[in-house]
Amino acid sequence: MTEDFDRHNTKMAKKKAARDKIMATKTEEKGLIIIHTGKGKGKSSSAFGMIFRCIAHKMPCAVVQFIKGGMNTGERDLIEQNFGELCEFHTMGEGFTWETQDRSRDIEMAQAAWAKAKELILDDSRRMVLLDEINIALRYDYLDVAEVRDWLLANKPPMTHVVLTGRNARDELIEIADLVTEMELVKHPFRSGVKAQAGVEF
Amino acid sequence: MTEDFDRHNTKMAKKKAARDKIMATKTEEKGLIIIHTGKGKGKSSSAFGMIFRCIAHKMPCAVVQFIKGGMNTGERDLIEQNFGELCEFHTMGEGFTWETQDRSRDIEMAQAAWAKAKELILDDSRRMVLLDEINIALRYDYLDVAEVRDWLLANKPPMTHVVLTGRNARDELIEIADLVTEMELVKHPFRSGVKAQAGVEF
């Protein structure tokens, strides 16, 4: 058993040396374009997790919610009540489009949200701006993907992280992103009759 | 254009009807076993996102960090300084195992973390307990996966959510989980020399 442990420790020492060597080459700091997409859970909640990390580090940040006016109210209340001076919060959408059934209003909302997003991103005192569910607005062509891509490439301040969430991220954005994660659904309790629950879904 | 909009609105109305019908069958509330795994980002940050949702809803909760003593310090500080009365926080691990190179100490730490986790879960006033990076401890056999599975099945209070994070989730746990998400890495900036950054990684 002691021999096993020694072997393990030696292996881990090698792993550490290899890892340290790799990490030593990672020296650059820059503002990233980050995308969370896929059908699984965690796209918005991990983006909010990063917003809370920013808040923890006293880094000014902001959130624009593009679509789901009705959800993620938990995070909004928590941020507005406790950390409003560090994190501006704008909810522009009015629920998913199948709730509103009014495409022209959806487009207006998405355009207003994008205008606000641009304003927030341009102020480089902010270190992270979360564009929550913007991918949905792009998928339904409420926003022009080429315009969003070109604007980000031309105007995002170098140290600002911009996080874009939502299913079906457009290829045009994936191409310019630095960090892309696809949340894959492996198992979901809705399938067995469990409803959306506080703490988990909202 | 108006015709297009009408067609869109009709389509969305149908979508809403279908969705409402499905959602009406989702009536059960229960405490879930939730797993975040995969090589992508967002496993821990989305779990912390859920913890912040619980805090927002004033639901008592708790976090046990099994492995990464050195990371996720942002969340810990934020929670301890602002929401300590709602969310107990225990950091038991001392960095990844290749940092410590001491298997027997790692096992001791993991066992102590699991003992604390059981105590926290058994108190059913808590609605969510996050076992952060427990999958790493299970993968290296610092904990016995059959014991963890059997204990959760036998003892988890019915309304308590238990969230288990980390790469390489064991099949034994995926089998008993209600909600499993795999975070897939699509693009990562480490590949191009960017280092771990505050707000994004910790």
Side-chain angles (χ1 to χ4, degrees):
Chain A
M1 202 60 180
T2 314
E3 202 183 314
D4 273 3
F5 275 24
D6 286 349
R7 201 159 50 223
H8 174 89
N9 294 349
T10 308
K11 193 174 134 200
M12 287 296 156
K14 274 190 194 155
K15 205 162 175 171
K16 175 168 164 54
R19 193 183 145 86
D20 287 348
K21 198 170 160 188
I22 292 168
M23 294 314 284
T25 68
K26 313 301 180 194
T27 52
E28 197 191 346
E29 289 213 7
K30 70 169 199 169
L32 305 175
I33 295 179
I34 299 172
I35 295 180
H36 292 176
T37 191
K39 291 184 179 173
K41 279 183 54 63
K43 297 181 288 294
S44 288
S45 58
S46 61
F48 277 105
M50 286 193 289
I51 286 289
F52 284 112
R53 284 180 181 163
C54 287
I55 291 170
H57 294 295
K58 313 275 183 227
M59 291 158 59
C61 51
V63 179
V64 181
Q65 292 193 298
F66 274 73
I67 300 284
K68 43 171 133 176
M71 291 290 261
N72 292 350
T73 51
E75 289 92 338
R76 188 180 56 210
D77 295 348
L78 194 68
I79 289 172
E80 288 186 338
Q81 286 161 23
N82 296 278
F83 311 112
E85 76 293 352
L86 268 172
C87 183
E88 250 187 72
F89 208 110
H90 299 271
T91 301
M92 314 294 282
E94 302 201 8
F96 279 104
T97 188
W98 51 82
E99 296 289 341
T100 62
Q101 300 157 40
D102 185 340
R103 182 171 166 84
S104 56
R105 197 180 64 170
D106 285 348
I107 290 175
E108 245 173 66
M109 290 286 162
Q111 296 288 349
W114 174 235
K116 175 57 73 180
K118 288 192 280 191
E119 181 196 318
L120 293 165
I121 293 167
L122 281 177
D123 174 356
D124 67 3
S125 67
R126 285 195 192 83
R127 297 296 310 281
M128 183 179 284
V129 179
L130 165 56
L131 309 181
D132 194 37
E133 300 290 2
I134 190 174
N135 291 339
I136 310 281
L138 289 161
R139 183 196 175 192
Y140 285 114
D141 291 317
Y142 298 165
L143 296 176
D144 182 58
V145 68
E147 192 215 315
V148 171
R149 177 198 58 200
D150 295 346
W151 189 89
L152 286 174
L153 283 176
N155 298 291
K156 186 185 81 59
M159 294 309 292
T160 304
H161 305 295
V162 175
V163 188
L164 305 97
T165 74
R167 290 183 183 204
N168 300 295
R170 300 284 296 261
D171 289 341
E172 293 89 333
L173 289 177
I174 288 177
E175 270 165 32
I176 64 158
D178 301 288
L179 174 56
V180 180
T181 308
E182 173 135 358
M183 278 67 177
E184 293 273 358
L185 185 68
V186 180
K187 247 188 186 182
H188 200 295
F190 284 2
R191 289 184 185 161
S192 55
V194 175
K195 70 177 185 181
Q197 295 179 90
V200 180
E201 273 89 9
F202 58 92
Chain B
M1 203 60 183
T2 313
E3 203 184 313
D4 272 3
F5 275 24
D6 286 350
R7 201 159 51 223
H8 174 89
N9 294 349
T10 309
K11 194 175 134 200
M12 287 296 157
K14 274 191 194 153
K15 206 161 175 173
K16 175 167 165 56
R19 195 183 144 87
D20 287 349
K21 199 171 159 187
I22 292 168
M23 293 314 284
T25 68
K26 314 301 180 194
T27 52
E28 197 191 346
E29 288 213 7
K30 69 168 200 170
L32 305 175
I33 295 179
I34 299 172
I35 295 180
H36 293 176
T37 191
K39 291 183 180 175
K41 280 184 53 63
K43 298 182 288 294
S44 289
S45 58
S46 61
F48 277 105
M50 287 194 288
I51 285 288
F52 284 113
R53 285 179 180 165
C54 287
I55 291 171
H57 294 294
K58 313 275 183 229
M59 291 158 59
C61 51
V63 178
V64 181
Q65 292 192 298
F66 274 74
I67 299 284
K68 43 172 132 174
M71 292 288 262
N72 293 351
T73 51
E75 289 93 336
R76 187 179 59 209
D77 294 348
L78 194 68
I79 290 172
E80 288 186 339
Q81 285 161 22
N82 296 278
F83 312 111
E85 76 293 352
L86 268 172
C87 183
E88 249 186 71
F89 209 110
H90 298 271
T91 301
M92 314 294 281
E94 303 202 8
F96 279 104
T97 188
W98 51 81
E99 296 289 342
T100 62
Q101 300 159 39
D102 183 341
R103 182 170 166 84
S104 57
R105 197 182 64 170
D106 285 347
I107 291 175
E108 245 172 66
M109 290 286 163
Q111 297 287 349
W114 174 235
K116 175 55 75 181
K118 288 192 280 191
E119 182 195 319
L120 294 164
I121 293 167
L122 281 177
D123 175 355
D124 67 3
S125 67
R126 284 194 193 83
R127 297 296 310 283
M128 182 178 283
V129 179
L130 165 55
L131 309 181
D132 193 37
E133 300 290 1
I134 190 175
N135 291 339
I136 310 281
L138 288 161
R139 183 196 177 190
Y140 285 114
D141 291 317
Y142 297 165
L143 295 176
D144 182 57
V145 67
E147 193 215 316
V148 171
R149 177 198 59 201
D150 294 346
W151 189 90
L152 286 173
L153 283 176
N155 299 292
K156 186 186 80 60
M159 294 310 292
T160 304
H161 305 296
V162 175
V163 187
L164 305 97
T165 74
R167 290 183 183 205
N168 300 295
R170 299 284 298 258
D171 290 340
E172 292 90 333
L173 288 177
I174 288 176
E175 269 166 33
I176 64 159
D178 301 287
L179 174 54
V180 180
T181 308
E182 174 136 357
M183 278 69 175
E184 293 273 358
L185 185 69
V186 180
K187 248 188 185 182
H188 201 295
F190 284 2
R191 287 184 187 162
S192 54
V194 176
K195 69 177 186 181
Q197 296 179 91
V200 180
E201 271 90 9
F202 57 92

